[in-house]
Amino acid sequence: MNENSNGLLRKDGLPKQMNFNEVDESFIKFIVLKRNNISRKSLNY
């Protein structure tokens, strides 16, 4: 499950070597909202 989550984050524009000290907080909030609102089979979509 961790590898799947990492892959989804990579698709959203967070490369492996990214320095998170240089990331804009609004971008992080956008990614968080996007990841938290995806449909999940375990929650009956």
Side-chain angles (χ1 to χ4, degrees), residues 39-45:
S39 299
R40 290 180 169 70
K41 184 178 180 180
S42 63
L43 299 176
N44 297 319
Y45 299 100

Side-chain angles (χ1 to χ4, degrees), residues 2-39:
N2 184 39
E3 293 299 322
N4 184 46
S5 296
N6 288 344
L8 293 173
L9 290 172
R10 303 276 177 261
K11 285 183 181 180
D12 290 334
L14 298 172
K16 283 186 177 184
Q17 304 302 322
M18 182 176 231
N19 182 354
F20 286 98
N21 293 323
E22 298 173 357
V23 178
D24 187 15
E25 187 174 343
S26 62
F27 180 70
I28 293 175
K29 287 181 180 181
F30 169 75
I31 298 297
V32 168
L33 286 173
K34 188 173 180 181
R35 290 292 111 214
N36 285 337
N37 291 314
I38 59 174
S39 299

